[in-house]
Amino acid sequence: MGASEENSALFPIFILTIMAIPIVPYTITKLCRAASKKSKSIHCQCSECSRSGKYHKSIFKRISNVSTCSNFTLLLLWVVMIILVYYIKTMSREIEVFDPFSILGLEPGAAESEIKKKYRRLSIQYHPDKNPDPEAHKYFVEYIAKAYQALTDPIARENYEKYGHPDGRQGFQMGIALPQFLLNIDGASGGILLLWIVGVCILLPLVIAVVYLSRSSKYTGNYVMHQTLSTYYYLMKPSLAPSKVMDVFIKAAEYMEIPVRRTDDEPLQKLFMLVRSELNLDLKNIKQEQAKFWKQHPPVVKTELLVQAQLTREFAALSPSLQSDFRRILETAPRLLEELMKMAVIPRNAQGHGWLRPAIGVVELSQCIIQAVPLCARKSTGGSPEGSAPFLQLPHISETIIKKVARKKVRTFQELHDMDSQERADLLIQIGGLSSAEVQDIETVLDMMPSLTLEVTCETEGEEGIQEGDIVTIHAWINVKRGNGLIGALPHAPYYPFQKEENYWFLLADSVSNNVWFSQKVSFMDEAAAVTAASKAIEESMEGSGASVKETSKAVAEAVEKVKGGSRLVLGKFQAPSEGNYSLTCYCLCDSWLGCDRRTNLKLKILKRTRAGTRGAVLADEGPIMEDGVEDDEDNEDEEYDDDYESEYSEDEEDDQNTKNKQQAANGTVNKHGKAAESSGSDEE
């Protein structure tokens, strides 16, 4: 019985240990993350972003950020642990070790005469004949009499002094840390113990495993459904124009789960009339086109209309129920667009190349959704190949102001960006009719916009040139600078209701054949991770080339300084194609800003494979060229083709006509004039 009570007393300690194992590390991790959050403001400070409220930390928002379900659960578990600690501490005081000397009030090793003398005194005080109190009788029988017997019996006393117990050496005992009622195997308690063991040891792990496997089988690591990836993969086509990417994007499985209510019919009809011009409907057969549009799967119709509401900024037409669906669509949009981008650049042919045209379309759609700019605004207008879309992302800028500014021969966004701040302010105030406060907002946004530069090289490690079939290493540094001095920042996006980090896509592509040779996602937010990745990559590269320790340390130090100065390293490998001259283009595309994309030409010469001898040079003499608006005559041959990538939002007839030519290029049918065709490679602003 005593052993049973002792085992039962260990049950709270067992529960406390099981709770502390996951809770303590999780709490430490959470506190470290909270302490590492930057206090520096990295979001836009213009009046429109301030009015959006997503960066404003009111008392309610601060409380809601802290009082989340996970934090509340964690706090509740800590309260339970504190209660268990207090209970164990109190219980330990009640459980005392049997010590006959302390019970009789004697010093250890006292003589037998002193023991008898003390026993007679306590007998007078606690003996039932002298003290009728039941508690005194219990204390005398269970403690005083046993203590006297243990000390007066020579064998019992010797055992106690040697082994700490009157009965001598005690055997090793094992018990189960369970409550007392579960340790009584008689009757119903045996069934309870069996249920406890089955539930905790079998059913609970089984339930956790089933829930985890069912969720993991449905979602990827990026919290995107596997069904969505499958749909995107099969709907992605090499000739998919950016204006058609929307049709693939809205068919995500996540959007198919959005409920379609009868009460949404009237608001969706009104929204359709507002965004009808953006739906690429044939105006000659508008009735048939409308009927065809509404015959689509209802979640597809609803998703497309709500996305168009974001692009056209028609938020007032949404009912309260549509508002919740609208936010749900926009919240998942960045993740879905990232996976759609991966489906565009995933290897599709024997050379391991992806497709350039749909990849650019995905990035352009992402830019329009984040900045709430219509897709039609990307069409070339006047002297601006990029359209009015980059202007519309600025606060207080409308189509009317853009037309007024264009009369002063400021037709492109880059021309406005490159102007002196005072000259730009005079233009916007005098010609555009803006106030000084509105101009200040524009200056704030322009200071937030990133300015990108690219440094790209390709080589075969340990060799002087590149031959067909070689594993080529691409080494690129992407540098970002802003007028406000920040490196990583949240973009100006007052109409996007959630905080969104900037992401960039680096693409090495052949625009003539529509092939992406290499792709990588780049972020400027986590400097520590970028330092670690760059250091490791440079160290492995230097060691592979046989550099000394001193040279490796110097190269790593230089790379770390570059990263801290606003650069990110892109390092990758691809297999060299067949012999020939290739005019490739390196793209750096931002998924959040319009007009910030950059590209540079890379002329690559692949030599015929030889069994022996020194290989020839790989790069043309001019090397990687950063275009500044000055183009070679030979590059003008394919200017019309390349412009198609700068602005794909043309009329449907033009898209259909260009599709045939591009499909031929995608299949490797390119013009041959003794050498590979060269791309224009002008900077894409």
Side-chain angles (χ1 to χ4, degrees):
M1 190 63 161
S4 176
E5 293 178 355
E6 185 178 354
N7 292 331
S8 178
L10 294 176
F11 180 70
I13 301 176
F14 172 74
I15 294 297
L16 179 63
T17 305
I18 295 299
M19 293 179 63
I21 289 174
I23 292 175
V24 172
Y26 179 72
T27 305
I28 294 174
T29 303
K30 261 204 149 180
L31 293 176
C32 291
R33 286 179 182 175
S36 62
K37 285 185 178 179
K38 296 181 179 179
S39 59
K40 186 177 181 181
S41 177
I42 59 173
H43 61 79
C44 182
Q45 303 290 334
C46 73
S47 60
E48 287 192 355
C49 287
S50 299
R51 284 197 300 269
S52 68
K54 60 182 176 181
Y55 303 120
H56 179 61
K57 292 184 178 180
S58 62
I59 296 177
F60 176 76
K61 279 192 174 182
R62 290 175 181 176
I63 294 174
S64 62
N65 289 336
V66 175
S67 59
T68 59
C69 182
S70 61
N71 289 344
F72 179 77
T73 304
L74 184 63
L75 180 62
L76 184 63
L77 291 174
W78 271 105
V79 170
V80 173
M81 288 177 62
I82 292 173
I83 294 174
L84 285 175
V85 170
Y86 177 77
Y87 174 75
I88 292 170
K89 187 177 180 181
T90 306
M91 181 182 62
S92 63
R93 293 176 181 175
E94 297 176 356
I95 301 175
E96 297 180 357
V97 180
F98 180 76
D99 185 2
F101 289 105
S102 62
I103 293 174
L104 297 177
L106 298 171
E107 295 292 332
E112 186 175 353
S113 58
E114 295 180 1
I115 295 173
K116 292 181 178 180
K117 183 178 180 181
K118 192 67 176 179
Y119 174 71
R120 284 193 295 269
R121 291 181 181 177
L122 293 175
S123 298
I124 296 173
Q125 184 177 356
Y126 292 101
H127 196 276
D129 296 338
K130 305 292 184 180
N131 191 341
D133 188 0
E135 291 296 330
H137 178 224
K138 181 179 179 181
Y139 182 74
F140 179 80
V141 173
E142 294 182 0
Y143 290 93
I144 297 176
K146 287 185 178 181
Y148 177 73
Q149 183 181 2
L151 294 179
T152 53
D153 186 352
I155 298 177
R157 181 168 181 175
E158 182 180 359
N159 288 335
Y160 173 77
E161 292 177 350
K162 285 184 178 182
Y163 308 111
H165 197 279
D167 297 331
R169 186 191 298 273
Q170 299 297 298
F172 180 73
Q173 294 184 355
M174 297 182 64
I176 304 175
L178 293 176
Q180 179 64 35
F181 72 93
L182 291 179
L183 296 174
N184 297 328
I185 310 300
D186 302 333
S189 296
I192 296 175
L193 177 59
L194 180 62
L195 291 176
W196 173 276
I197 295 174
V198 172
V200 174
C201 300
I202 300 176
L203 294 181
L204 182 61
L206 185 62
V207 169
I208 295 174
V210 169
V211 172
Y212 173 77
L213 292 176
S214 62
R215 181 172 179 82
S216 62
S217 63
K218 188 177 181 181
Y219 290 91
T220 65
N222 199 23
Y223 298 102
V224 175
M225 297 175 67
H226 288 288
Q227 185 180 349
T228 298
L229 298 186
S230 178
T231 302
Y232 283 173
Y233 181 83
Y234 288 108
L235 292 179
M236 186 64 64
K237 303 298 179 184
S239 59
L240 189 68
S243 56
K244 307 297 183 183
V245 171
M246 171 78 78
D247 298 335
V248 179
F249 167 68
I250 60 177
K251 291 182 173 61
E254 286 82 353
Y255 294 156
M256 298 302 101
E257 295 181 349
I258 294 178
V260 179
R261 315 171 190 88
R262 291 185 178 180
T263 55
D264 295 337
D265 291 343
E266 185 177 351
L268 288 177
Q269 288 283 354
K270 293 180 179 179
L271 182 59
F272 173 80
M273 299 305 297
L274 293 173
V275 302
R276 184 173 57 177
S277 60
E278 302 293 330
L279 297 176
N280 294 324
L281 302 179
D282 186 5
L283 299 179
K284 297 178 182 179
N285 302 309
I286 188 63
K287 291 185 178 180
Q288 292 83 350
E289 289 289 315
Q290 289 184 13
K292 183 180 178 181
F293 176 81
W294 287 104
K295 284 181 180 179
Q296 297 181 95
H297 192 41
V300 174
V301 173
K302 185 175 184 178
T303 301
E304 184 169 3
L305 290 177
L306 292 179
V307 172
Q308 291 293 349
Q310 167 70 6
L311 299 179
T312 56
R313 304 180 184 180
E314 296 289 351
F315 315 114
L318 302 181
S319 62
S321 60
L322 286 179
Q323 281 285 354
S324 61
D325 298 332
F326 176 72
R327 290 179 62 87
R328 178 179 173 181
I329 289 173
L330 293 185
E331 186 177 14
T332 57
R335 297 199 303 271
L336 296 178
L337 287 168
E338 180 180 341
E339 296 302 323
L340 187 58
M341 181 67 173
K342 293 177 182 178
M343 292 299 106
V345 299
I346 194 173
R348 298 278 187 161
N349 55 25
Q351 292 76 28
H353 297 162
W355 296 326
L356 176 62
R357 196 180 190 205
I360 293 178
V362 173
V363 174
E364 291 181 345
L365 177 60
S366 175
Q367 294 170 353
C368 289
I369 290 177
I370 299 303
Q371 296 297 338
V373 173
L375 294 175
C376 64
R378 304 192 73 109
K379 293 180 180 179
S380 300
T381 55
S384 176
E386 59 201 4
S388 60
F391 290 94
L392 293 176
Q393 70 184 334
L394 298 177
H396 318 298
I397 294 293
S398 62
E399 292 284 357
T400 304
I401 296 176
I402 296 173
K403 293 178 181 178
K404 290 180 180 180
V405 170
R407 297 192 189 107
K408 293 299 179 179
K409 298 186 177 179
V410 181
R411 295 184 177 89
T412 65
F413 180 77
Q414 191 62 37
E415 291 175 352
L416 180 68
H417 186 275
D418 293 341
M419 293 176 65
D420 180 76
S421 59
Q422 185 59 47
E423 183 182 0
R424 184 167 51 238
D426 294 339
L427 175 68
L428 294 174
I429 292 175
Q430 297 173 10
I431 306 301
L434 300 179
S435 64
S436 299
E438 292 172 336
V439 171
Q440 184 57 43
D441 282 342
I442 294 175
E443 293 295 331
T444 301
V445 175
L446 291 176
D447 285 341
M448 285 289 294
M449 294 188 70
S451 177
L452 302 172
T453 56
L454 298 175
E455 299 176 9
V456 186
T457 58
C458 288
E459 62 181 0
T460 301
E461 293 182 356
E463 301 291 345
E464 295 181 359
I466 300 177
Q467 294 184 357
E468 53 187 7
D470 282 352
I471 301 301
V472 184
T473 300
I474 180 171
H475 187 281
W477 281 101
I478 304 175
N479 181 266
V480 63
K481 291 187 181 297
R482 306 177 198 268
N484 56 14
L486 292 175
I487 297 177
L490 302 179
H492 162 80
Y495 300 105
Y496 186 75
F498 305 96
Q499 295 189 24
K500 168 73 172 65
E501 294 183 357
E502 294 175 353
N503 289 306
Y504 300 83
W505 284 94
F506 176 84
L507 305 178
L508 176 65
D510 185 350
S511 57
V512 176
S513 63
N514 192 37
N515 287 333
V516 176
W517 292 25
F518 174 79
S519 64
Q520 184 171 318
K521 181 182 173 184
V522 183
S523 175
F524 287 85
M525 298 301 295
D526 193 345
E527 183 180 285
V531 168
T532 303
S535 301
K536 184 178 180 181
I538 294 296
E539 186 176 353
E540 291 177 353
S541 177
M542 295 295 290
E543 290 178 355
S545 62
S548 63
V549 176
K550 185 176 181 181
E551 291 174 340
T552 302
S553 301
K554 183 179 179 181
V556 170
E558 292 176 354
V560 170
E561 287 300 319
K562 276 191 173 183
V563 171
K564 292 182 177 179
S567 296
R568 295 294 182 266
L569 175 63
V570 175
L571 196 64
K573 298 179 185 295
F574 62 90
Q575 188 174 15
S578 59
E579 177 189 7
N581 296 323
Y582 295 87
S583 294
L584 305 179
T585 306
C586 299
Y587 296 84
C588 187
L589 309 176
C590 180
D591 70 346
S592 304
W593 290 98
L594 289 152
C596 295
D597 301 336
R598 291 292 181 271
R599 66 182 187 176
T600 178
N601 276 3
L602 182 66
K603 298 184 185 296
L604 199 64
K605 185 176 182 181
I606 307 298
L607 302 178
K608 186 177 181 179
R609 190 72 181 177
T610 59
R611 296 184 179 179
T614 305
R615 299 178 181 179
V618 52
L619 295 178
D621 294 337
E622 59 268 40
I625 303 173
M626 286 297 298
E627 299 293 326
D628 293 322
V630 181
E631 302 173 358
D632 297 333
D633 293 338
E634 61 181 1
D635 290 339
N636 291 331
E637 297 175 2
D638 300 295
E639 179 65 32
E640 294 180 1
Y641 187 89
D642 241 1
D643 284 344
D644 191 42
Y645 287 102
E646 294 177 0
S647 179
E648 292 283 357
Y649 298 93
S650 54
E651 299 298 331
D652 289 339
E653 293 106 356
E654 297 177 1
D655 281 342
D656 295 337
Q657 186 176 359
N658 291 335
T659 298
K660 298 179 180 179
N661 298 331
K662 291 187 174 65
Q663 286 176 340
Q664 293 176 355
N667 294 328
T669 309
V670 296
N671 295 329
K672 297 181 180 179
H673 302 287
K675 62 177 182 178
E678 296 178 350
S679 61
S680 64
S682 59
D683 277 355
E684 186 175 342
E685 303 295 342

